[in-house]
Amino acid sequence: MNLQNNKVILPMKTIGIIGGGQLGRMMAIAAKYMGYHVAVLDPTPNCPAAQVSDQQITSAYDDMSGIEKLTDISDVVTYEFENVDLEAAAFIEQAGKLPQGAYALEVTQNREKEKSIMNDSGLPVPANKVVGDSDMCERVLENMPLPSVIKTVSGGYDGKGQLKINTNDDIQAACEFADRNDVCIIEQWVPFDKEISVVFTRGQSGEITFFPVSENEHKDHILYKTTVPASISAAVQQKALDAAGILAEKMNIAGTFAIEMFVKGDDIYLNEMAPRPHNSGHYTIEACTISQFEQHIRAICGLPLMPIELLRPAVMINILGDDVETALNELPKMRYGFLHLYGKETVKPKRKMGHITFIADTLDEAKQQLAAYEEAKQ
């Protein structure tokens, strides 16, 4: 779990990225802006990241021949998602080219391990129990207050791989969910006031910089809107930053990392972690002195991290497949809002296709810009 030696990778060298989606694309853009060459490994030809990179290895994520090639041609390797094959990650780490290491992947791929390390660190999390079948599920739900939620231990995202248990009438469905998915975790539902994200970057030397805490709003379990700065008290903000700092040190994080948290009154409850740049940090491209992506590139390349300041308040919204046509139709009339489309060839209704960030001198003005956009598209 020790951070590797702070080997400096200068521009003109090659950064390898496992995963060619939107996060890989924005990493690649930041790296190219700084003067790096970029190689992407992804099974889909001409994936979003490959469109802005120097070369693509078209290979499955667990194909070791592709992983070996990426490792060979890259001076440093990173990843855009947490479900990287652990054997592949260990191979790259042993080659001295994965500053983030395999451990953060191992933890964040498994909700049981996530909750365990949070508990071991003395951090607040919703009450939870791991279950292996319907009998265990039923016993746990006899003693856990409802509502609760049952989640797969691995593989879920954007609301997939989970089921809310509102009343006793839902227990049978939860037990069937447990049998279908082997190991699951049941968590007590937190009636939170709001959800926030703490996105930070930790350098290989141990230095850490925090981006402004963001406030998130979801629709159908998918992030819809991120507002910065979050409407939270100074006490809540400090608790959130302190918790993130504790985990950063405990896990020896390198690179950009995100933690989602629930806020209830003056209390926080840690929810999930992501060992890479995060959807709720996209606002940093326009609204901060440095983006989460460029700070990530600096960290994995052994460069000193830049101080972070919020230049202007911001509101970011995701563009799903349903919204692409509207966004394009409104673009010729939009005086405000920075549009990012990700270059995905297939449009699907709930698929993240892009985002728009509105910035202004005040948060109210940024919200008014968003309201004008939403009114126009109706």
Side-chain angles (χ1 to χ4, degrees):
M1 284 177 55
N2 290 327
L3 290 176
Q4 298 183 19
N5 292 331
N6 192 15
K7 181 171 64 173
V8 175
I9 308 296
L10 293 174
M12 306 293 288
K13 298 292 187 179
T14 298
I15 297 173
I17 303 175
I18 300 174
Q22 63 264 26
L23 296 178
R25 179 186 181 95
M26 288 181 273
M27 284 183 200
I29 290 171
K32 292 295 291 179
Y33 179 83
M34 295 174 68
Y36 289 97
H37 299 294
V38 178
V40 174
L41 184 148
D42 193 278
T44 303
N46 196 39
C47 59
Q51 295 166 16
V52 296
S53 299
D54 297 282
Q55 58 182 310
Q56 176 179 1
I57 298 170
T58 306
S59 170
Y61 300 127
D62 59 355
D63 175 14
M64 286 307 298
S65 64
I67 292 292
E68 289 171 9
K69 182 176 180 182
L70 181 71
T71 305
D72 184 56
I73 65 176
S74 302
D75 296 282
V76 65
V77 177
T78 185
Y79 44 79
E80 70 147 9
F81 57 90
E82 50 267 41
N83 291 317
V84 175
D85 181 75
L86 290 180
E87 180 185 352
F91 173 84
I92 304 169
E93 184 176 19
Q94 288 165 9
K97 295 185 178 181
L98 189 70
Q100 293 161 273
Y103 180 70
L105 289 170
E106 179 185 342
V107 171
T108 55
Q109 284 180 11
N110 187 293
R111 288 189 172 103
E112 181 181 2
K113 292 182 178 179
E114 275 192 337
K115 292 297 185 289
S116 177
I117 198 167
M118 290 174 183
N119 279 322
D120 291 347
S121 302
L123 299 174
V125 296
N128 61 87
K129 291 286 184 180
V130 174
V131 300
D133 56 34
S134 57
D135 290 339
M136 293 177 66
C137 177
E138 189 171 9
R139 288 197 300 272
V140 166
L141 289 174
E142 286 176 357
N143 299 304
M144 184 171 288
L146 299 181
S148 296
V149 60
I150 184 170
K151 303 177 181 180
T152 56
V153 160
S154 61
Y157 67 97
D158 285 348
K160 298 177 177 67
Q162 61 181 268
L163 176 70
K164 190 176 180 185
I165 310 159
N166 289 299
T167 68
N168 289 336
D169 293 339
D170 300 319
I171 290 178
Q172 180 60 36
C175 291
E176 292 171 1
F177 183 96
D179 278 338
R180 284 197 308 271
N181 293 287
D182 297 324
V183 181
C184 297
I185 188 167
I186 299 176
E187 299 177 7
Q188 187 171 351
W189 186 266
V190 176
F192 56 90
D193 301 325
K194 59 191 64 179
E195 182 186 297
I196 60 173
S197 291
V198 177
V199 179
F200 64 87
T201 307
R202 187 167 184 257
Q204 295 179 55
S205 64
E207 63 176 320
I208 186 168
T209 57
F210 292 95
F211 290 93
V213 177
S214 61
E215 182 174 335
N216 303 323
E217 180 181 327
H218 290 76
K219 289 184 177 180
D220 298 325
H221 303 289
I222 300 172
L223 180 65
Y224 160 64
K225 179 171 66 177
T226 293
T227 303
V228 183
S231 177
I232 54 176
S233 67
V236 166
Q237 175 169 296
Q238 194 59 54
K239 287 179 181 179
L241 297 181
D242 288 346
I246 288 169
L247 281 177
E249 295 295 328
K250 179 88 171 180
M251 297 174 65
N252 276 333
I253 297 303
T256 294
F257 195 95
I259 307 174
E260 296 175 329
M261 306 180 188
F262 300 126
V263 178
K264 181 175 173 57
D266 284 331
D267 295 322
I268 62 167
Y269 297 89
L270 277 64
N271 183 24
E272 295 179 349
M273 304 186 284
R276 35 77 181 171
H278 194 259
N279 193 174
S280 64
H282 292 349
Y283 76 90
T284 61
I285 297 173
E286 283 86 23
C288 292
T289 45
I290 186 168
S291 76
Q292 63 169 342
F293 301 101
E294 187 172 350
Q295 196 80 308
H296 178 70
I297 296 300
R298 293 183 70 88
I300 65 168
C301 290
L303 300 175
L305 303 183
M306 293 185 67
I308 296 171
E309 293 181 23
L310 182 66
L311 298 174
R312 302 175 85 187
V315 180
M316 186 279 301
I317 58 168
N318 276 326
I319 300 174
L320 304 184
D322 315 68
D323 310 319
V324 173
E325 185 176 352
T326 298
L328 292 175
N329 288 339
E330 288 304 312
L331 185 59
K333 298 174 281 185
M334 286 172 55
R335 294 183 60 239
Y336 303 103
F338 295 85
L339 173 65
H340 298 253
L341 291 180
Y342 302 146
K344 296 180 180 180
E345 294 180 357
T346 304
V347 178
K348 298 179 182 178
K350 299 301 180 184
R351 192 181 194 192
K352 294 174 183 173
M353 304 299 296
H355 71 268
I356 303 176
T357 302
F358 299 91
I359 62 173
D361 290 334
T362 68
L363 190 53
D364 282 343
E365 290 177 27
K367 289 179 178 178
Q368 289 168 14
Q369 292 174 12
L370 170 59
Y373 169 78
E374 292 187 322
E375 181 179 350
K377 74 176 187 178
Q378 291 177 357

